[in-house]
Amino acid sequence: MAHVSFSDLPPEALDDIARRAGALNNVVCSAVCRPWRRALKTTRLRLLKRPSRPYSVRLDKWRNGTISLCLAVRLGCSSESTIYVPIAMVDGGDKLPTRIIGSSHGWLVTVDKECGLSLLEAFTGRVFPLPPITSSGSKKVAKELDQSMFYKATLAPGRRLGAFAVMLIHGGGFGLSFLRPDAKSWTAVRVPKRMQHKYTDVVFHRGAFYTASRDGEVAAWAPDASSSGLHAGRVSEPTQECTWAALVESVGGDDLLMVSSFVVEEGFAAHGQWYRLPRRRYAVSRYDGEREGTSSWLPVEDLGEAAILVGSSCSLCVSTRGFHDDLRNRLFFAWPSYESGKYYCFHPDEYRLPTATPGCTYLIVPHYGGSWFAPYVAPEFHWY
């Protein structure tokens, strides 16, 4: 009798395994052999017509306990249908998530009405509860406990498959908490006095968390052996001109970009008088680690074949090559969320950089607790 291995299973059996595998087992099974990896990938990609494109994801309040996914960029008169995925509570959870506060590495960070945090896998609907934020032991966090206290969370992949470190902005933007991979409780991060500013964004980039404050100060939080597990280092000083900032990785994740806004006064004449009207302007800059201070951010006047999707829970830099040139050198902003306060309410729907191409496109932006979503991210840097 000829030797039979796992790779000799018929394609129908592999497809059935792929459908039955959960969010993490789906990745584990793909490491068995090449046929299994090919079958798992094919089954997961079959759900999406364009898996490499950005999606708009939200928790559908009209379909209780359902995630809705739709392609963010519609090509011409395309009528691609919305994907609905039922939420499946696991590990003893019973509270449905109501708002998305983070989206990275193919996962969503959500919060429910009782301020419970969880990880949600968008394509299977499985929800994995995280430790309560009050487990940090911080009296200030316990006092301010409310659904509106959560601003944004981001993930960093751990060494073990399916394990993540989480960094969270809360408390009106003035509080930071950190969750180690596989930890049972949160750690309240002590921010140095020289860096106590209102935080507007946090991302994970090349082995460290980066936070941005409202006045453009950027700090890097690298892992260490301290009680909090993080060591803060200032990347750039705050500036008086900056009124808001967001961080995003470039296409491919090689560079760290910052989208910042500032107010300029423009003069105009009306009824025989001269008026000055403040207007908001935006700029994109790239971090250069070899420079220091404010000079470490180099202005970016041309994004090339790319656009930036900015949101309160996730920002993405997406390639426009081969599917829509009208998006080039443009910034698109997600709609504000009522639960998160007036966090993004002053942004326009679209802002064109000076090098933007003419034309228009139809973009479905997330709103009311939704998020931009990148379906598949293969991280190269892990949390140590």
Side-chain angles (χ1 to χ4, degrees):
M1 182 177 178
H3 176 72
V4 179
S5 65
F6 285 112
S7 61
D8 296 322
L9 290 175
E12 295 77 10
L14 294 178
D15 288 344
D16 185 64
I17 293 174
R19 285 190 294 268
R20 294 174 181 269
L24 302 181
N25 294 332
N26 213 326
V27 183
V28 176
C29 292
S30 65
V32 174
C33 57
R34 289 183 179 180
W36 280 49
R37 181 163 59 251
R38 191 181 305 114
L40 270 290
K41 182 178 180 181
T42 301
T43 301
R44 289 176 67 82
L45 295 182
R46 193 176 298 154
L47 180 65
L48 302 174
K49 295 183 178 179
R50 293 185 174 87
S52 60
R53 301 294 181 235
Y55 276 72
S56 175
V57 59
R58 65 186 177 92
L59 303 172
D60 200 325
K61 65 178 182 180
W62 305 113
R63 299 170 181 255
N64 193 24
T66 303
I67 310 165
S68 66
L69 288 146
C70 61
L71 197 64
V73 182
R74 297 298 176 95
L75 306 180
C77 299
S78 174
S79 58
E80 298 174 3
S81 59
T82 300
I83 301 170
Y84 296 98
V85 181
I87 296 177
M89 306 298 297
V90 297
D91 295 345
D94 58 351
K95 304 298 181 183
L96 289 174
T98 57
R99 186 161 62 94
I100 300 171
I101 60 172
S103 173
S104 58
H105 300 289
W107 289 80
L108 303 174
V109 184
T110 62
V111 60
D112 59 37
K113 291 184 178 180
E114 297 187 3
C115 302
L117 297 167
S118 59
L119 288 180
L120 190 154
E121 212 282 333
F123 298 113
T124 64
R126 300 181 72 186
V127 179
F128 299 86
L130 294 174
I133 187 62
T134 53
S135 61
S136 65
S138 172
K139 295 182 179 179
K140 184 177 181 180
V141 171
K143 184 179 180 180
E144 297 176 348
L145 189 62
D146 184 78
Q147 193 179 19
S148 61
M149 71 175 287
F150 301 100
Y151 263 24
K152 184 185 177 182
T154 192
L155 303 177
R159 285 188 170 183
R160 186 180 64 81
L161 185 65
F164 292 95
V166 188
M167 194 165 187
L168 173 68
I169 300 176
H170 57 80
F174 293 96
L176 294 174
S177 290
F178 172 64
L179 181 67
R180 293 183 177 89
D182 297 321
K184 302 299 182 182
S185 62
W186 289 82
T187 300
V189 178
R190 293 184 177 181
V191 181
K193 291 184 178 181
R194 69 181 189 279
M195 298 167 55
Q196 291 180 352
H197 303 276
K198 183 174 182 178
Y199 295 102
T200 58
D201 204 1
V202 57
V203 298
F204 180 76
H205 174 69
R206 290 186 173 271
F209 288 103
Y210 287 82
T211 56
S213 67
R214 183 174 53 185
D215 49 11
E217 181 190 58
V218 178
W221 304 79
D224 65 2
S226 64
S227 58
S228 65
L230 296 173
H231 171 72
R234 178 178 283 173
V235 172
S236 59
E237 301 282 345
T239 60
Q240 296 182 351
E241 296 81 10
C242 184
T243 59
W244 168 89
L247 300 173
V248 59
E249 285 189 314
S250 63
V251 177
D254 294 331
D255 295 318
L256 182 63
L257 305 178
M258 178 169 62
V259 180
S260 55
S261 70
F262 52 94
V263 177
V264 297
E265 291 188 349
E266 297 183 351
F268 67 98
H271 307 289
Q273 295 185 0
W274 185 258
Y275 297 91
R276 299 187 67 85
L277 181 66
R279 294 186 181 276
R280 189 175 299 274
R281 293 289 181 264
Y282 294 85
V284 180
S285 52
R286 177 179 60 85
Y287 174 58
D288 186 351
E290 297 182 357
R291 297 171 177 261
E292 296 182 356
T294 55
S295 61
S296 61
W297 292 95
L298 306 178
V300 177
E301 298 180 355
D302 191 347
L303 295 174
E305 295 179 316
I308 297 179
L309 312 179
V310 186
S312 58
S313 56
C314 174
S315 296
L316 300 173
C317 185
V318 298
S319 173
T320 62
R321 179 181 301 177
F323 80 102
H324 220 304
D325 290 336
D326 292 342
L327 294 177
R328 293 180 58 180
N329 291 303
R330 299 189 187 190
L331 311 177
F332 296 93
F333 296 88
W335 293 1
S337 171
Y338 289 137
E339 292 84 1
S340 61
K342 299 179 180 179
Y343 195 43
Y344 268 75
C345 60
F346 51 79
H347 296 306
D349 294 338
E350 174 187 346
Y351 183 83
R352 302 186 182 188
L353 298 176
T355 53
T357 56
C360 60
T361 187
Y362 183 56
L363 194 74
I364 298 180
V365 299
H367 58 97
Y368 307 140
S371 174
W372 303 109
F373 180 70
Y376 296 97
V377 179
E380 298 180 359
F381 293 85
H382 299 271
W383 190 260
Y384 294 99

